[in-house]
Structures are given as C-alpha cells and as structure tokens.
Amino acid sequence: MSDPRVNSTWLPAVVLFAAGAPAQVTVDYTDDVYPGNERAGWVASRVVDDLTGEPIRGADVYFVREAETPLAGAFWFTRRTKTDAGGWLRARVDDIEGQWHIQVLRHPDYGVAARVGTGDAIWRVGRPFDVPVRIVDWRGAAVAGARIGFCGGCGHTPDLVNATTGPDGVAWLRGIDPHSDIGDVYVQHPGLGLGYDRVRWCPGEGPTIVRCRWSPAMTGVVLDHLGQPVAGAFVAALDVHRGPWAKTGSDGSFTLLGARPELGPSHVRTAGEREIWFEAAARFPVKLRVPAVDAESPNEGSIEQPEGTAEETTTRKLRVALTGGERLDAVADWPGAPQGRARGAGEVEIPTSGPFVVSVYAKGAPRGRPAARDHFFADAAALAAEPVPLAWFDACEVVGRVVDEGGQPVPAHVAVRESWSETALPESPDGAAQAAFAVATHRTGLTLLEVMPVAPDLRPRLAWITLPERGAAGRVELGDVVLRSRPELVVNAPDGSPLPGVEVEWARAGCQEAGATRVFELGEDGGWLGPDLMEGDAVVVRAADDAVPFRHVLAGQGPWTIQLPAGVLALDVVDADGVAMQAWCILGDHEDLLEPGQVLRGLPLGEHVLHLSAEGYRTAVVRVRVGDQLEPRRVVMQRR
C-alpha cells in the first residue's frame, strides 16, 4: 500500500503575527490526508481514547470484508495499517473498493474495537474489559466446553475474540468493548442452538447469560455426482447472517452446529461460488449429493438420510398459575419444539412425554438476564394437579440506613432506579420518609439508588449498587448510606463564579458506548447532581453554545472543583486571494467546521495544535499560543 506521507511536501514554517499583538501563529502545510481534505479513495480519522481524548498511537487497523460463508473462529482481512504518532489513521481504499465493510482496531492497551464503514473523523475507542458470559442450554443448565465467538459487525464478519466455557458454563471474552455498537455472541457446541445474543455488561456485574435452544449436531458428507467426496465445500442452515456454516474436510465430511432443527443442512457452496440447495434432513448422518454442473437442475441436490420414521412429538395443553410479578406469560420448550410454540398467561403447550421446560417471564421487565425463570420437568406424568403453580423470580430486597456525615440517622425517600435513561433527579414523593429503608426490586446488575433527603441542607444522592442475578429471594445489605451537605463536584466559570443549571456530560470506562455520555445538570450552586463519582471518570462541560467542550478526567478521591478555561481563539482562514473560507478544524479530539469569523472559546491557555483542512487544499498544521484576549490570526490555505 502506498503512503501519501512518503511524497508529502512540507514548506518552511510561516510565522504570522496578530496586528498590534505579540502573540504568534506558526503554520506548516502538508499533503498528508486528513479529515476534511480526503482524496477520493482514502479513509482518514483520528483515533482517540474515549475518556481522555488522547490519541492512540500504533494501533493496528484492519479493513475487513463481509463473507458469504462466515466460519466461527476465523479472522480475515483485506488490508492492515497502523495509526501514527498523532493517532492518525490514513488508508488508501480505492484499490479495494467493495472488498471491505468494517474496520477492526487492535491495540495492547485497548483490546479490540470495530466500526462499520468509513466512520467519523474522530474514532473514539473505549477501554477494554474481560467480560464473563455464561452459556446455558434449553433447560437453563450451565454448559461446559462450549466455544463462543464475539462479533463486532453483522454475522457476515469474523469473530474478534473467541473463548471456551469452563465447568460453570462461563467463558471470558478478553479485551473487548462491552458496549460495542454491534457486539454479538455466537455459540458452537453439540446439542446447542446458535445462541445469537448481544453483550451488554458493566464492570462489577455477573456474567451475561446466553440461553441456547436445543439443536442436534448435524453430521454428514458432501459427495459429487460420481459419489466422490467434495472437500472444502461450505455447508449451512441459512437462518441468520452467521448461518451457521461448516466446512467439509478432505473426506467431504462436516459437522454443523447450532442450526435450527427444522432447517437442517439445506445449502452448500462449492468452489466457484456454486450454490446447491437440499431438502431439510430429520435424521443424521446424511449424504448430500451435488449434481453435475451441466445437470438439468444444477442447483438442486439430492439428500440421503438413515432409514426410519421421524418421531413426531404429540402435545397437549397444560393449565398453569403464574405468580411473582405483573403481566406474566409462559412458554414451554423441549428438544424439537416448534419455533412458534404456544404461549400464554394461563395455558401452554407441552409434550405428552419426555422432558420439557416452562419459562415464566414478565413483559416489560427491567433490565437483567435471564429475563425468564425456567421450571424443568422430567415428564408430563410427574405433574401435580392442574393448574400447576409456576413462579417468576422473587424480588431482591435492598436494605440500609440513611445517615448524615456525623453518622446520625436522617429521614429520606429511597428508590432503586429502573432505567439508565433517567438523568434528572426526581421530586421527593409524598408520604413518610424514613432513615431505615427496605426496597424491593427485580432489577439486576449495576444500577443507581436514589436517596432524596427531607432536610434541605443535605444533598440528594445517586449511589451505585450492584444487584445479584435473579433467582431465589435475595437481600443486599448496604449499611449506612451517607448524605453530605457539600457537592462532590463543583464546576465554576472562568471567573470563578458558579454555573447553575449547566449541563455536564459524564462517562465512565465500561459503562457506555464509546462516544456516548450521560448528561446531568448542575445545581444552583454549580454542584454536581449526578451519580457518585470516582477517579478516572470523565466530565465534559460546554458553558456556552460557542464554547469548545472542555474534557476533564477526575484524579484523586475528591471532592473536586473544576474551573473552566478562559482561552479564546479567532482564526481568519482565507484562500490565496484573501477571501474568507470554511475549513474543517480538528483540535485534539474535537472536530468543528469553522465558519468565517467564528471564535473558539473555552480553550485552555497555552500551546495548541490545530489541523485545518478543506477539499482541494493542503492541510494547514497550526501551532498557536492561546490567551484570554481575542487576537485574530490569519491562516492562508494553499491549493494542493
């Protein structure tokens, strides 16, 4: 791959002075490709740490195509490049048009991340985590030895990370973004369905539960029209993007895992992208015979399966009584159960003989897995009198005591938040407030406890708590929940005055998708009204509409005070004739389309490096010292 930097021309630095002022701006020009001046057939972005905004140097970036026959555990790519010392990603792609669909990043400190298409000018990459995933079968039992793959694109793209479950059914996906835009898990194991599910996990939570329906290991051999083995053919039961697919060995044999039983190995692709279709098989192993290329129906294969009659499962209705929640439904499952099996609040369809599970779930239940409670039965003959009582999960009880900084009990209203989408503090409800509390919830994992004090001199609190998996009745002892009179964080204007009501963005490693934040308002005193903070959290403040967002990462144990910077910068961007023009500006991890006369406010004082780009122009690398006085500086853009 050619690199534009090899032939780039750097002119001697041009030093320009602001009229009547000692401040200066130094401008270099380069033909390197930057966002805003991308030449056709190039991809250019700046890759940065999502929290700090610092550039990520030396990351491998792979341009990956979608595959028509994606195999579990395989990784493929069309092109690879590296980010440079400034975190810049530049890659020529005009010669591989149509041969890539996603970009995959790998870095020792950032694990693996992916994005679809060309992406934005700023590629924000989250911190990596080792994420536990528990695989359970159709009965809800943990499965050991299951191979799982984590995919960062659609199922036509490769696995980014693979792992195998241990005796407890848990596999660890190492170094992944647990909030990847697309983060799907696929399972490969005899007796298990594909388990196509999405990973969403926060640090401190238990394993993500992936439940797999029953699926037999589908075995067989692919033969040509002369009865000879067909090696290297791809066999699939086409259901979702991932297939699933298998590949034949040198003897033409295959094992297809995870397919829906009613689909079976009904599709084969041979060399030359030839496609042959077959009827679904009910018994295994099978022989799939590929017709000759010049056959009357070259895409219709024939199938041979062991003799015998497929066993038909007879079913009946079972009356059930559901308890433990509101809007409860139930559904039964068993090996070979039809996909669209009957469900309902009072009656389900079950097999007349053999093992089965009845799963009870609540519509609109709060976040957390598993969403359904499984009740296993060895045989319908063992059932008690109908209706059979079946319970959803028992609630977990969260208990504690609200106290002030002196340890004295104080009355407050306490609740468990049911949705992460809520950012504003709720109004204190009517009714009695107590220091000791016991709150019941069906929520699981990381969430927030709302504590709204009655005393006006105490601040409300959103405290982090981690709730266990659903199961039998649980109890979480929090002990004393301390309320304080001073805010945990204060954000002041450049002159030191408070910023009442200003919105502050918040992000924490592993708690949101890269590039996403949650927004909380400051109180009348400029104090933080969001959740409990910790070292390493990032807060982003934009005090005015024309201000550059100020990103700050908290250090130490707090409380913290942030004073917004007062730097201002006016760049007079013109062409060779002195005519004002637009230009894309990248300042650190911030991207902006500068309009003529636009002023950048809220910048830290001191040295800054900006990259100004426009289509058809060379990129101007501007080094400037920013002060608190408005001193317009002219930058003349050069035609390429």
Side-chain angles (χ1 to χ4, degrees):
M1 178 182 109
S2 63
D3 190 329
R5 288 170 288 179
V6 174
N7 299 313
S8 65
T9 303
W10 285 80
L11 294 186
V14 179
V15 180
L16 305 174
F17 292 87
Q24 67 183 38
V25 54
T26 302
V27 184
D28 292 308
Y29 299 89
T30 178
D31 288 325
D32 285 0
V33 179
Y34 284 89
N37 77 350
E38 296 102 325
R39 287 192 286 274
W42 283 80
V43 170
S45 298
R46 190 169 213 179
V47 183
V48 302
D49 182 298
D50 181 42
L51 294 184
T52 66
E54 292 296 315
I56 299 177
R57 305 171 177 87
D60 288 308
V61 179
Y62 301 82
F63 289 77
V64 178
R65 64 177 174 83
E66 294 183 4
E68 292 295 333
T69 56
L71 292 175
F75 183 79
W76 60 88
F77 62 93
T78 305
R79 175 155 294 162
R80 178 174 63 183
T81 188
K82 274 186 178 289
T83 59
D84 66 14
W88 295 104
L89 161 65
R90 302 181 183 88
R92 180 184 174 186
V93 294
D94 59 347
D95 58 334
I96 56 172
E97 184 177 355
Q99 300 177 49
W100 68 277
H101 301 87
I102 69 170
Q103 299 174 48
V104 175
L105 177 143
R106 293 187 187 274
H107 189 278
D109 298 329
Y110 291 89
V112 62
R115 66 174 180 173
V116 178
T118 57
D120 297 325
I122 305 296
W123 184 356
R124 310 195 73 89
V125 179
R127 305 288 175 81
F129 288 86
D130 294 342
V131 177
V133 178
R134 177 177 288 121
I135 306 301
V136 299
D137 64 13
W138 66 277
R139 301 166 300 174
V143 179
R147 182 78 171 165
I148 70 172
F150 176 78
C151 186
C154 78
H156 288 141
T157 59
D159 291 342
L160 305 182
V161 175
N162 292 97
T164 302
T165 60
D168 57 355
V170 174
W172 288 85
L173 295 171
R174 305 289 182 184
I176 70 166
D177 179 354
H179 297 275
S180 178
D181 179 36
I182 299 176
D184 296 330
V185 170
Y186 299 92
V187 180
Q188 294 278 275
H189 191 73
L192 296 185
L194 200 57
Y196 176 27
D197 207 348
R198 193 179 189 190
V199 171
R200 283 294 179 265
W201 179 88
C202 292
E205 292 186 337
T208 293
I209 308 297
V210 174
R211 182 179 177 182
C212 302
R213 293 200 67 200
W214 175 82
S215 172
M218 300 179 182
T219 59
V221 63
V222 178
L223 305 173
D224 64 16
H225 65 291
L226 299 176
Q228 297 301 308
V230 179
F234 294 92
V235 183
L238 293 182
D239 186 12
V240 295
H241 285 334
R242 183 49 66 97
W245 288 88
K247 190 175 183 180
T248 61
S250 59
D251 60 353
S253 65
F254 66 88
T255 299
L256 186 65
L257 300 174
R260 283 170 48 189
E262 59 267 33
L263 296 177
S266 56
H267 182 64
V268 169
R269 280 178 178 252
T270 63
E273 297 298 305
R274 186 180 171 201
E275 295 184 87
I276 302 96
W277 297 88
F278 301 84
E279 293 182 1
R283 297 175 303 283
F284 301 94
V286 297
K287 292 181 180 179
L288 303 179
R289 294 191 179 273
V290 176
V293 175
D294 58 356
E296 182 177 349
S297 301
N299 301 111
E300 295 181 11
S302 61
I303 183 171
E304 297 178 19
Q305 52 188 323
E307 293 183 358
T309 303
E311 294 184 7
E312 293 187 5
T313 302
T314 58
T315 63
R316 71 173 180 85
K317 299 294 185 180
L318 172 70
R319 290 188 299 117
V320 294
L322 308 181
T323 61
E326 298 179 355
R327 301 177 63 200
L328 295 178
D329 274 346
V331 61
D333 195 15
W334 62 91
Q339 190 78 2
R341 54 208 185 283
R343 64 186 66 203
E347 192 175 71
V348 296
E349 186 176 4
I350 65 168
T352 54
S353 64
F356 64 94
V357 162
V358 180
S359 301
V360 180
Y361 64 96
K363 295 179 180 179
R367 175 185 174 274
R369 292 185 176 137
R373 183 174 181 182
D374 299 323
H375 298 266
F376 177 77
F377 299 94
D379 193 273
L383 292 173
E386 298 183 29
V388 176
L390 300 175
W392 191 49
F393 298 105
D394 296 317
C396 176
E397 190 176 47
V398 180
V399 298
R401 186 179 70 150
V402 183
V403 300
D404 62 18
E405 292 172 283
Q408 296 301 308
V410 292
H413 297 278
V414 181
V416 173
R417 278 222 165 157
E418 295 296 337
S419 172
W420 275 69
S421 63
E422 301 173 30
T423 53
L425 283 170
E427 296 182 2
S428 292
D430 296 331
Q434 297 179 328
F437 62 86
V439 182
T441 179
H442 277 102
R443 193 171 172 86
T444 68
L446 188 67
T447 190
L448 292 169
L449 185 77
E450 298 174 352
V451 185
M452 306 295 293
V454 174
D457 58 331
L458 293 177
R459 302 185 69 84
R461 182 178 174 187
L462 296 179
W464 294 104
I465 58 174
T466 301
L467 300 172
E469 291 183 17
R470 296 192 182 115
R475 184 179 176 91
V476 175
E477 299 273 1
L478 297 181
D480 287 348
V481 178
V482 181
L483 299 183
R484 295 177 172 84
S485 57
R486 294 176 53 202
E488 192 176 18
L489 168 70
V490 174
V491 182
N492 291 328
D495 62 3
S497 61
L499 290 171
V502 168
E503 292 185 340
V504 175
E505 299 175 47
W506 167 86
R508 176 174 292 175
C511 288
Q512 67 284 310
E513 186 178 336
T517 55
R518 299 192 182 276
V519 179
F520 298 88
E521 286 189 355
L522 298 178
E524 292 301 318
D525 56 356
W528 175 250
L529 294 177
D532 290 351
L533 299 170
M534 63 180 289
E535 184 174 19
D537 285 358
V539 292
V540 184
V541 188
R542 189 199 297 260
D545 291 340
D546 60 350
V548 174
F550 177 65
R551 180 175 293 269
H552 181 79
V553 178
L554 301 178
Q557 300 304 309
W560 298 272
T561 299
I562 298 174
Q563 184 161 326
L564 299 184
V568 292
L569 176 63
L571 291 178
D572 185 15
V573 183
V574 299
D575 62 15
D577 297 323
V579 178
M581 59 179 287
Q582 291 179 329
W584 284 104
C585 171
I586 292 184
L587 173 58
D589 65 332
H590 175 66
E591 174 198 15
D592 201 355
L593 178 60
L594 291 185
E595 302 286 353
Q598 182 175 342
V599 177
L600 298 176
R601 303 183 185 276
L603 298 175
L605 304 180
E607 298 286 346
H608 289 270
V609 178
L610 300 86
H611 294 77
L612 302 180
S613 302
E615 186 176 355
Y617 287 83
R618 312 179 78 202
T619 289
V621 183
V622 182
R623 295 171 174 82
V624 61
R625 176 172 289 277
V626 172
D628 58 2
Q629 301 298 314
L630 196 59
E631 301 168 353
R633 292 92 185 273
R634 172 165 289 198
V635 176
V636 180
M637 300 294 288
Q638 292 186 348
R639 282 278 181 187
R640 216 171 19 227

